[in-house]
Amino acid sequence: MIVTREVMEHIYRIPVPLPNNPLRELNCYLIRGRERSLLIDTGFRQEACRQALFAGLQELGVRMEDTDVLLTHLHSDHTGLLPEVASPESRVYIDDLDRDWIVGRTRFELERQEDGRFAMTGIPADMLKVVSDTHPGRRFAPDPDFDRYTHLSTGDTLEVGGYRLQAIQTPGHTPSHLCLWMEEQQTMFTGDHVLFDITPNITRWPNLENALGRYLESLKKVRAYPVKTALPAHRATGDFHARIDALLAHHEYRLGECLKVVREEPGLLPYDIAGRMTWRIRAKNWDDFPIAQKWFAVGECLSHLDYLRAEGCVREEVSDGLLRYYPV
Ligand SMILES: [Zn+2]
């Protein structure tokens, strides 16, 4: 059974299934070079992903001794299998702030800070415990002991398979997410920065101020590129510039919605603000949301509150270890 597909000359897509995940699949890309090849992203550290990735690499006859790996960002569906798939000869590229979320020496402290901040949102403690113990981002994360990463960021280029790839740092979805631009082909690997039939999740990060503000900036940054072909990390591609306009409009609408809730009921906790916003999910009401979805919704809500705070539209008050928001 052939699973890989050549999307451009010497560039192959390896579909990696993401079981029980709304993203459904990861698009891993392999750029085949004469001397060295490059694999972009890997899949969760989970059996279904492992089988698909290794089968795809085998089908393409890839030798990992001759292959380097680039991680667009820290999320486990992109990084989980890295330590298993990389050979001792592989160079592994990632930008620094995202690397800090996957290596053991910094990962656990950042996760502790993240949990601490979520605990202040009014999300019930038992719910938070369940999420931090079970959510796939942590369960299927890469081996924290692997620490052979090479920093790659804006200004750096990689040459592979006759292509020249320019790294562009696009913070927002994660603290130092990377897109890759091939000028001659007017093609961009967009990672999760621009997805076409799902909205990239934006949350609050302990090591990135105003993630939504940074995300919107990063969208405008890549919008300036004459992209003809976008190669996203999940699902299908589409019209790059039209999609960015739609994402910008989406967040503007959500910001308005979030501000309206704060104005109507000053002093709410983020957990309750999230519950009053509208979400595209199959659940009767906020109480009925699956726990993991609530956690994502609260994170998304926090990133909107941070943006509104930076714009001077709301203010935050901390009392008894809880965050409350008021209109300005
Ligand atoms: Zn992601």
Side-chain angles (χ1 to χ4, degrees):
M1 188 182 64
I2 304 291
V3 293
T4 60
R5 183 168 58 85
E6 192 170 22
V7 292
M8 285 174 66
E9 200 182 9
H10 308 309
I11 301 181
Y12 300 85
R13 171 185 176 271
I14 306 174
V16 175
L18 305 171
N20 307 315
N21 190 299
L23 296 168
R24 293 189 214 138
E25 255 183 14
L26 172 75
N27 301 325
C28 263
Y29 295 101
L30 188 280
I31 308 179
R32 200 203 293 278
R34 215 177 310 171
E35 273 145 39
R36 294 197 72 71
S37 298
L38 183 73
L39 176 69
I40 302 175
D41 293 334
T42 71
F44 281 126
R45 183 164 69 159
Q46 190 185 13
E47 195 49 34
C49 297
R50 188 178 289 119
Q51 282 182 15
L53 177 65
F54 284 94
L57 292 171
Q58 191 177 27
E59 185 178 291
L60 296 171
V62 174
R63 286 165 32 99
M64 286 310 294
E65 306 89 280
D66 307 328
T67 303
D68 299 315
V69 188
L70 183 140
L71 303 171
T72 57
H73 65 291
L74 67 93
H75 282 148
S76 304
D77 51 329
H78 299 256
T79 59
L81 290 170
L82 180 269
E84 296 174 45
V85 76
S87 74
E89 293 83 12
S90 305
R91 273 198 163 211
V92 182
Y93 301 102
I94 187 168
D95 203 342
D96 284 355
L97 293 178
D98 275 37
R99 181 211 51 211
D100 289 350
W101 281 91
I102 55 180
V103 293
R105 68 192 144 78
T106 40
R107 181 201 290 187
F108 304 111
E109 171 56 20
L110 285 166
E111 288 179 355
R112 200 186 58 77
Q113 288 177 21
E114 184 178 52
D115 287 347
R117 285 167 167 230
F118 267 88
M120 298 172 79
T121 63
I123 197 165
D126 53 339
M127 211 181 268
L128 189 59
K129 170 118 182 55
V130 171
V131 175
S132 73
D133 291 349
T134 60
H135 96 68
R138 293 193 187 169
R139 255 172 77 204
F140 306 131
D143 180 348
D145 293 334
F146 186 94
D147 194 12
R148 282 191 304 103
Y149 296 99
T150 301
H151 174 64
L152 189 89
S153 195
T154 300
D156 295 327
T157 56
L158 297 174
E159 310 259 351
V160 55
Y163 294 107
R164 188 178 153 82
L165 295 108
Q166 289 171 247
I168 308 170
Q169 195 195 57
T170 45
H173 177 64
T174 59
S176 61
H177 182 285
L178 290 175
C179 289
L180 295 164
W181 169 233
M182 304 197 298
E183 189 171 15
E184 211 174 300
Q185 293 74 25
Q186 299 194 311
T187 296
M188 190 178 285
F189 291 93
T190 65
D192 282 7
H193 182 47
V194 180
L195 298 174
F196 291 84
D197 52 2
I198 194 159
T199 310
N201 174 258
I202 311 296
T203 188
R204 175 186 278 182
W205 297 94
N207 62 344
L208 183 76
E209 285 274 307
N210 188 8
L212 180 59
R214 301 300 302 279
Y215 179 65
L216 300 178
E217 250 170 49
S218 298
L219 281 180
K220 290 172 191 157
K221 176 155 115 182
V222 295
R223 200 192 181 292
Y225 287 71
V227 175
K228 287 240 173 73
T229 306
L231 297 173
H234 304 283
R235 309 227 193 151
T237 184
D239 181 326
F240 183 73
H241 299 95
R243 181 57 183 154
I244 290 176
D245 291 343
L247 287 169
L248 290 169
H250 166 82
H251 285 293
E252 197 166 318
Y253 174 79
R254 301 289 281 165
L255 283 163
E257 194 181 27
C258 186
L259 182 57
K260 188 163 168 274
V261 174
V262 176
R263 283 184 177 151
E264 283 174 359
E265 290 182 78
L268 285 180
L269 297 161
Y271 180 74
D272 298 316
I273 299 172
R276 285 163 174 73
M277 291 172 70
T278 50
W279 304 96
R280 259 202 297 175
I281 173 170
R282 268 179 248 122
K284 278 197 294 283
N285 52 46
W286 182 233
D287 292 332
D288 228 45
F289 263 49
I291 295 175
Q293 295 306 318
K294 274 191 174 173
W295 189 82
F296 279 113
V298 170
E300 189 86 31
C301 176
L302 284 171
S303 74
H304 284 72
L305 290 165
D306 287 341
Y307 183 96
L308 292 169
R309 201 154 60 96
E311 294 290 305
C313 302
V314 303
R315 68 185 169 82
E316 181 185 273
E317 253 182 42
V318 184
S319 62
D320 301 326
L322 291 171
L323 291 171
R324 295 182 187 279
Y325 289 85
Y326 298 86
V328 174

